[in-house]
Structure formats: structure tokens, C-alpha cells
Amino acid sequence: MNDSTDRPVRTRYAPSPTGPQHIGGIRSALFGWLYARRHGGQFILRIEDTDQKRSVPGSLEQILEAFDWLGMDIDEGPAQGGDFGPYIQSERLPLYRKWADWLVERGYAYKCFATAEELAAMRGAGAGYDRRYRGLPAAQVADLEAQGRLFVIRFKMPLTGKTSGQDMIRGSMSFDNSALQDAVLLKSDGFPTYHLAHIVDDYHMQISHVSRAVEWLPSFPLHLQIWDAFAWRKPQFAHLPVLLNPNGKGKLSKRKERFVDGGGKAVPVLAHEFMDAGFLPAAVMNFLTNIGWNYGDNQEIFSTAQAAKRFDLKDVNPANSAYPIAKLEWLNNQYIQTAEADYLARALKPILEEAGFNVDDDRLRQLVPSLRVRLKTLNDVLPMAGFFFADWASFEAPVADILVQRKMDRAGTVEILRGALPALEQLDGDFKPDEQHAAMAAYARNCGYKNGQVFGSLRAAVSGQKVSPPTFDTMAILGKAESTRRIKLAIDALSRELA
RNA sequence: GGCCCCUUCGUCUAGCGGCCUAGGAUGCCACCCUUUCAAGGUGGAGACACGGGUUCGAGUCCCGUAGGGGCUACCA
């Protein structure tokens, strides 16, 4: 087998257009993409829609959207064009037919007239296709064809011997030919199967490295044999490990029921679910790159550009991985903490707006610094800070359960709030957080309550929530007038209940 | 069932024969900081699946077993 790498690196992602993009597929694509970027090569997108039954309209758009969101740029493909198109297999049908015929003419493949019933009977007997049409005399073949019998073209797999090849991840591999069937190359509807189509295309598109999921490993020897029948220069192969469900049981699938993490949140599996859940594309890329491969230097956080300087298919871990989704939330928070303020504000705005809030840009920008450290996902902004964007005029004091802190009672809370009011009103109009802090700390000392009790009561009074950005940041953004108004509202509410 | 691949802390991983009394990260626990929640800091519990070889020496190489995953379609 030809292992030389003295040719331009061209890798590809060749999904079937079956709808939403699965994160497992995206990760496979990522590895091919990184390899191309590492070597200054091309990354090609090819749509494998040879199963008409499974094709779903709009798939290409979803694929493109996912790649665009993640920042994986495509050099050639259905949308980008290129010198080796078309990049959609259903538009290349004559090519597959031509090469299928070529194989038949040279005795590497044959026409098989087995009917669905025959095949079902063979399967029922426990074995696969028994090659009953493999040695049919030419005259009989012609006769069957003349009768209008439907046929497929099957590859004439060697019956004995071994086929060996190199896998970039696993090294030398050898397979017994006797275990392989005479695979269908061209279906009776004139469409090729994956086995034929991907080889014809990888050859014509000058793909140098084929990286694909491990489920293709059993048919690797078949593919090697087909490449050899054509006498085409083979690419190098890397059979990528796959993602398993978070519990390690079974391949991660979009068809199975959704997994739920410890906190009851749905585990994102489809590309659009990562967008919808408020993850940053950079974090998702970092996350995916770290499964089955690692940057080295004990460094967990790195950019795609950094990864592209070190990535090699040879270094990919051969073992499948449970989907480590818990790490993504941590990573996402790390990225949010260091993201540009403008970028964050822009990302947060539509989330707030979709929730029905009227977003003031200045206010949002003001909020970002105190928010970023506590957002695991962008969507967390809603429960944390949505109240800033609600209609302030219609704010109502929260219920006592929220107002009264741990180790506090109603009377004490009222006492704290009443005492805090004049001290806050004394401050100047800027209402700076550190000035509030100084004033309230001094007040706490005098009134005999702890800082936490004072600050916490204020937080609940002004935000209406138990959890919020830092109390004094919150009050600074609300402003002195609104803050004190809300404190009075809280006092009134609690007093009423006491009376 | 047959064939193929895989196997280091719960999880993601480092390790490519001696540097390993096995390193990092996440998650978990504790403490510190503290203005809730976080973040941050410090510390802790936590793994070479098992059994045989090979070797002066094995997490690292070989074989077997077990477990996991996959393929076994006119799906990819």
C-alpha cells in the first residue's frame, strides 16, 4: 500500500444529507479539517445522497450553518464550488456507472440478478448472499438482461487470502478475504452504493487522506480491493474513534432518546442544539478537539489555530470515548470569562430579546463584567439578569421567602432595610458600587448584623431574586432612585405581613 | 452467532520498556476568600480490567480471558 505523503493534503467530510447535523459527524469532520489546516491543504465537503429514501431536504443548509458557526471553512463543496465538482453524488451518476461497467468488463465485478425474495431466503438461511450469480456464463447474463430482469453490480471479492493495509491510527491491519461478501457496487436503480461512490469520488477529487468513523473498518479490506482493481493510487486512511453516550453505553445517537445531565438539562447532541443552548463556538471546538486528541503540555484550553499547528491524525487515540459533556459547561464558562465584552454583549442581546425583553445596549454593556464570571451558558443570562430589562415601573416586591435570608426573620429584615435606606440616600448620584459597599459595611457594623445579612437582604429587595449579580453592581445599574424605591417597596410588603 | 476494533482515576486524557511511589483536566468533597450564586486559591479521595508470558526491568511488547463498541443491507 502506498503510504507516501508527497502530494497535496486534501481531506473531506462526506455526510449523508439526513437532516440535523450530529455532533459525532461534526467531530469526525473536525479532525479531517484540522489535518488539512495543519498541512496547508484543502478541506472538501461532499454530499453523499446515493440513498434517495434517506435524503431529507434542507440538510445541506444545516450542514453549512453548523460549519459556519464553528468556523470550519470549506475550500470546495456544493456551495463553494471547486475544480472537482459536482460535489453532490446524485449529480455524478454517469461517472459511477462508467466505472462500475469498467469493473464488470475487466472481470472485477459482475451483474447479479437476485431478487428481493431470493435475498430474503438466503438471509433466512442464516448466511449472506451466496454468490449464485458470480459465475454466470455471458450468454445467460445477456438472456436475463434481455428479459428485462433488474440487476445490481457486485464486486468479485477474492475468496481466499488476506488483504492488508495501513491505518494511520492503528498501524498495519490484515483481514481475511473469506469473511467479506460480494458487496453491491451499483444498485438496480442506477445509484451507486457508498462502497463504489466514495472511492470513485475520492480518486477523482484527489483526496489524500480519508478520515472516517471506525464503523467503516470492517469494510476497509473491501475498499482496498476496489482501489487495487482500479489500480488507482490510494489515499491514506484513518479510522476515527466514535463518541459513546455519556454513560459509556452505546454509540451516541440522535435517534435514541435525549440524555439528561445531573441538573436535568438536556444534553446537546445536534449542532443546532449547541447554538440554542448558549454555547460559544470556540468552546465547542475546544471541547471536541480534546476528545480523542489532546494539545499536550497539560494545556486544556487552546484555540483552533493553536490546535491546527500540532494536530496529527496519527496521534488520535484509537479508543472510543464517552461523551464528556460536563466538561463543556466548564469550558464554556472559561471562554465567557475571557471573551471580548462587545462580543458577549452581542451574543447575549438576542437571547434577552427572544425572551421578550427590551434590551438597552448601554445597560447590557454595563452588566457584562459582573455577569461573565457566573454564566455557564449564554442562556443563563435570563434567570440571572433578565430583571434588569423588564419594565422597572411595574416591579413588585418579591415574596417573603425570597426577601428573608437564611438565619433571618421578617422583623429583622425590615429593620435592616429601614436602617440601610438613609445611609444609601446620603450617597451621591453616581451611586458607585465601592461607595455603596463602604457605606453598607459601616452600617452593618453599627446595626449589629453581619455583612452577608445586610447585603443579602438588599440583593433580594432590589433584584427580586435570591441569585443575582453582585448586590452593589446591581444597585448601581438600577440607580439610586430605583434602588431605594424598591427597598421601600420591600419594607412595605414585609411590614404589611407583620401587621 | 461469525468477523473486526478498543481497554490508564466516575469521565476526558498524559504515558510510546527504566524519568511512574502513574501526571493534567473535569466532576465530587473539604478549607480559604467572600456580597447570595459563581469565579479564584489550597488540599483530599480517585485508575494502569484480569491471567499468563517476553525482559535485568512492563501501564508501556506478545498471547489468552473478560468487558465495551462496531460490522454482518440494492443505508451510509
Side-chain angles (χ1 to χ4, degrees):
Chain A
M1 113 150 255
N2 192 338
D3 283 327
S4 58
T5 50
D6 57 339
R7 60 159 154 174
V9 168
R10 289 170 59 81
T11 62
R12 46 69 164 182
Y13 176 51
S16 288
T18 51
Q21 274 303 285
H22 191 258
I23 200 64
I26 297 276
R27 172 164 161 280
S28 294
L30 168 64
F31 284 178
W33 179 84
L34 277 172
Y35 195 74
R37 293 294 164 259
R38 161 75 189 274
H39 294 283
Q42 264 82 49
F43 178 72
I44 291 101
L45 176 69
R46 182 174 72 223
I47 301 298
E48 308 215 326
D49 60 341
T50 55
D51 185 352
Q52 297 170 292
K53 293 184 292 293
R54 293 208 316 160
S55 288
V56 345
S59 298
L60 176 60
E61 287 68 26
Q62 295 193 57
I63 291 166
L64 261 15
E65 184 186 18
F67 275 70
D68 185 55
W69 184 68
L70 289 168
M72 282 197 274
D73 52 323
I74 298 165
D75 298 301
E76 297 170 26
Q80 301 68 208
D83 296 338
F84 304 89
Y87 293 89
I88 296 179
Q89 290 187 326
S90 59
E91 297 171 12
R92 302 167 65 82
L93 263 22
L95 190 64
Y96 309 123
R97 161 138 268 150
K98 169 188 161 190
W99 288 106
D101 288 344
W102 189 95
L103 288 171
V104 172
E105 281 160 25
R106 264 148 258 249
Y108 289 114
Y110 61 96
K111 292 172 181 171
C112 168
F113 298 85
T115 62
E117 293 70 39
E118 281 182 86
L119 259 8
M122 284 182 256
R123 260 196 299 279
Y129 172 66
D130 62 8
R131 311 188 215 248
R132 62 181 60 170
Y133 291 92
R134 175 161 163 147
L136 219 58
Q140 260 190 68
V141 171
D143 195 41
L144 256 11
E145 262 196 278
Q147 289 174 32
R149 286 276 297 273
L150 252 31
F151 64 86
V152 300
I153 291 178
R154 286 183 186 269
F155 187 68
K156 208 179 275 183
M157 189 68 193
L159 270 11
T160 58
K162 287 175 179 294
T163 300
S164 36
Q166 288 287 326
D167 177 78
M168 293 177 77
I169 296 170
R170 276 158 270 263
S172 298
M173 313 204 69
S174 186
F175 306 82
D176 277 323
N177 293 334
S178 58
L180 276 287
Q181 301 208 347
D182 285 355
V184 172
L185 262 22
L186 199 72
K187 299 182 259 189
S188 56
D189 64 1
F191 277 69
T193 61
Y194 170 83
H195 303 302
L196 203 224
H198 92 272
I199 290 172
V200 167
D201 286 344
D202 284 342
Y203 170 71
H204 286 94
M205 295 179 182
Q206 298 180 17
I207 300 303
S208 64
H209 299 262
V210 171
S211 54
R212 65 209 327 183
V214 261
E215 45 252 41
W216 292 111
L217 207 47
S219 51
F220 186 29
L222 196 223
H223 301 154
L224 256 11
Q225 287 290 342
I226 298 174
W227 279 98
D228 284 343
F230 282 128
W232 287 338
R233 179 184 182 176
K234 291 192 273 285
Q236 288 193 264
F237 297 89
H239 291 94
L240 271 15
V242 297
L243 260 21
L244 269 20
N245 283 313
N247 61 10
K249 300 283 181 192
K251 200 174 77 153
L252 188 66
S253 162
K254 59 185 162 191
R255 286 177 278 278
K256 298 236 174 72
E257 59 197 274
R258 306 269 299 278
F259 267 85
V260 177
D261 69 13
K265 278 192 201 168
V267 170
V269 168
L270 304 177
H272 66 81
E273 290 173 341
F274 288 85
M275 308 180 206
D276 296 345
F279 290 104
L280 263 29
V284 174
M285 286 290 270
N286 195 151
F287 168 69
L288 292 177
T289 310
N290 246 336
I291 309 171
W293 185 80
N294 74 93
Y295 185 74
D297 303 340
N298 281 339
Q299 189 178 333
E300 302 289 325
I301 299 177
F302 50 84
S303 68
T304 305
Q306 285 176 293
K309 286 188 180 135
R310 296 188 178 188
F311 183 82
D312 197 324
L313 286 168
K314 290 184 181 68
D315 296 331
V316 172
N317 185 334
N320 295 337
S321 313
Y323 185 48
I325 189 63
K327 251 187 173 177
L328 178 57
E329 291 209 337
W330 167 77
L331 247 187
N332 204 50
N333 172 259
Q334 295 293 312
Y335 274 82
I336 288 176
Q337 287 197 50
T338 54
E340 295 279 345
D342 281 335
Y343 171 83
L344 261 190
R346 273 199 309 277
L348 257 12
K349 188 174 179 179
I351 293 170
L352 258 357
E353 286 178 336
E354 271 168 46
F357 293 115
N358 223 326
V359 180
D360 177 86
D361 286 323
D362 291 338
R363 184 169 298 152
L364 181 54
R365 273 302 308 272
Q366 208 179 350
L367 211 44
V368 161
S370 53
L371 224 40
R372 67 191 327 155
V373 120
R374 64 204 77 213
L375 298 183
K376 291 233 186 302
T377 68
L378 297 175
N379 293 3
D380 290 343
V381 72
L382 260 18
M384 179 68 62
F387 71 92
F388 281 111
F389 302 96
D391 176 23
W392 290 4
S394 55
F395 178 84
E396 285 178 22
V399 298
D401 273 355
I402 289 175
L403 237 20
V404 179
Q405 304 295 293
R406 269 197 309 267
K407 296 182 188 165
M408 289 288 299
D409 58 20
R410 294 179 188 201
T413 304
V414 171
E415 186 189 339
I416 283 177
L417 294 177
R418 279 205 175 115
L421 216 39
L424 288 171
E425 278 169 336
Q426 258 177 321
L427 297 174
D428 66 43
D430 284 351
F431 217 47
K432 290 214 168 61
D434 51 348
E435 287 171 17
Q436 293 178 46
H437 184 261
M440 288 299 98
Y443 164 63
R445 273 195 302 279
N446 292 334
C447 72
Y449 283 103
K450 291 190 173 134
N451 280 2
Q453 293 174 309
V454 173
F455 301 174
S457 300
L458 287 169
R459 168 202 315 288
V462 300
S463 71
Q465 304 176 173
K466 279 195 165 166
V467 174
S468 80
T471 301
F472 304 124
D473 288 353
T474 299
M475 292 206 288
I477 291 172
L478 290 173
K480 185 168 150 183
E482 179 65 13
S483 297
T484 52
R485 184 179 82 85
R486 291 185 177 196
I487 292 168
K488 285 174 194 156
L489 246 28
I491 292 169
D492 289 349
L494 281 177
S495 305
R496 260 199 310 280
E497 290 190 44
L498 282 171

